[in-house]
Amino acid sequence: MAPDAMREAARSLSDARPVSYWLDDPGKPVARPALTGDERCDLLVVGGGYSGLWTALIAKERDPGRDVVLIEGDEAGWAASGRNGGFCAASLTHGLANGLERWPDEIGKLEALGARNLDAIEETVARHSIDCEFERTGEIDVATQPHQLDELREWHARTEELGLGGFEFLDRERMRGEVDSPTFLGGLLDRRGVAMLHPAKLVWGLKEVCLGLGVRIFEHTPGLALVRSGAGTAVRTPYGRVFAHDVALGTNIFPSLVKRVRPYTVPVYDYALMTEPLTADQLASVGWRNRQGLGDSANQFHYFRLSADNRILWGGYDAVYPYGGRLDSALDQRPETFLKLAGQFFACFPQLSGVRFSHAWGGAIDTCSRFSAFFGTAHRGRVAYAAGFTGLGVGATRFGAEVMLDLLSGRGTERTALAMVRSKPMPFPPEPFAWAGIELTKRSLARADSQGGHRNLWLRTMDRLGLGFDS
């Protein structure tokens, strides 16, 4: 970064609050009291993010008489569910390309289930009047280098041939007519497959709906251990226990109470900035009248979108894996990444020179080697889990909740018959091999971005094995 650009980036960050913009809201609800003593229930849900809240809500919708308890180690939505970009995608497979590569025989069904899932989220938000700024705007994958434009054009043609359309190719002129940046060479528009929303307000709305349906929610109540108890299970907490017939684990990146699941995910720290609200003139200089979410097509990619009050969220690029997979709140702040992101923001939108960032934050994503969620049961089928959403969980966690409830019911469904549900990703190796492999992959991906998309021997080998690293 040139010295002048470095100084501009640094100035833009001088007043940024070191917290998630979404969680820094005066409307944040008061936390529920912690659990003390013993409780009994039909279904215990562990985790108060999207995964757990959707599970509790759908369980009550399926059977209003079911007694459901939800415990959360901190406050509902404080982790990934309150720190993400607010992209709520229909895709269950981390994008059509990843799904087609891994489950080509099921891709039509997976796409249809994903579309139904997003429709169901939209319907739930409307039916319960959840004020989460839901906008079905779609998303554009943007090319910023010539090889990326060629890849988008080829991919668009392939989706048309396979009958998996719904995408629209945009040349440079049309792309810059949608959102104007001198770096944009073209794009691929998905008009209906992605919605934008306020992530924390979705959490808080789901929590309120669950309470209204009779779910008993205890916050500041981590699950410490899970053991068999008669025909069911018991989960120990700091001040008590919960005895349940069934347990659904929505803990994602946090260590699973089923220890054998832990090697399947690693924490990857992702970072984002939020600007101050744009003025009318600043917004006009960018265009963005249709308010789509955007992501560039690099391996080290950015994602960006408008908030309801016309701020720009700008995130991504760096994906930081801490040695040993440790979770540490100190990693939520990374000034060198914020400075890099700010410089890249002004390179993308030079017309916004002088804009300041109001918030800068980070958080951990539960990444798995196939980029999309995996599922399973334990304790004689009385415990179900879903994890590994790899940064695309705003929408897919609702599908994961349905899968967990299907598995706990013991009845086969369209969802449980999927190869995606019946299979597992490759687990990550122990240290130091995990760190070495991830670092080599990251460096190889960065090199591919700088060399016209050329993938070296390491990446080609990973491709053949169906392995990868993403955030």
Side-chain angles (χ1 to χ4, degrees), residues 303-314:
Y303 54 89
F304 39 116
R305 47 92 38 116
L306 289 171
S307 67
D309 59 350
N310 292 327
R311 301 168 184 263
I312 297 178
L313 179 142
W314 178 265

Side-chain angles (χ1 to χ4, degrees), residues 129-301:
S129 300
I130 298 175
D131 179 18
C132 64
E133 301 165 12
F134 188 98
E135 301 179 273
R136 193 86 175 251
T137 57
E139 182 181 21
I140 305 176
D141 289 333
V142 180
T144 58
Q145 295 186 31
H147 76 273
Q148 296 170 6
L149 186 64
D150 293 340
E151 289 168 358
L152 289 182
R153 187 181 287 109
E154 292 168 5
W155 176 244
H156 178 242
R158 188 179 180 200
T159 61
E160 293 290 308
E161 291 170 3
L162 294 170
L164 298 170
F167 300 95
E168 185 177 349
F169 181 78
L170 307 177
D171 62 18
R172 180 177 184 136
E173 182 178 357
R174 290 189 61 202
M175 179 66 237
R176 294 189 62 175
E178 293 288 345
V179 184
D180 192 14
S181 165
T183 68
F184 293 172
L185 304 181
L188 194 62
L189 170 62
D190 178 358
R191 290 191 181 276
R192 292 286 298 167
V194 182
M196 298 292 109
L197 52 76
H198 187 302
K201 287 184 177 180
L202 176 60
V203 170
W204 301 333
L206 292 174
K207 174 183 169 182
E208 189 64 28
V209 172
C210 285
L211 290 169
L213 293 173
V215 177
R216 290 177 286 150
I217 296 177
F218 300 92
E219 294 177 90
H220 298 291
T221 304
L224 302 178
L226 186 154
V227 297
R228 293 182 183 179
S229 177
T233 56
V235 171
R236 181 168 56 85
T237 72
Y239 305 121
R241 295 172 298 178
V242 183
F243 296 89
H245 187 267
D246 295 319
V247 176
L249 300 177
T251 51
N252 294 304
I253 194 50
F254 297 96
S256 178
L257 294 179
V258 177
K259 291 183 180 179
R260 69 170 182 266
V261 176
R262 296 179 185 179
Y264 289 101
T265 61
V266 295
V268 175
Y269 278 80
D270 180 55
Y271 298 91
L273 305 175
M274 183 69 95
T275 72
E276 62 192 355
L278 301 188
T279 66
D281 288 344
Q282 288 170 332
L283 187 59
S285 74
V286 178
W288 221 334
R289 290 175 298 276
N290 295 318
R291 304 181 57 81
Q292 306 97 329
L294 278 79
D296 63 51
S297 302
N299 293 306
Q300 291 184 291
F301 63 92

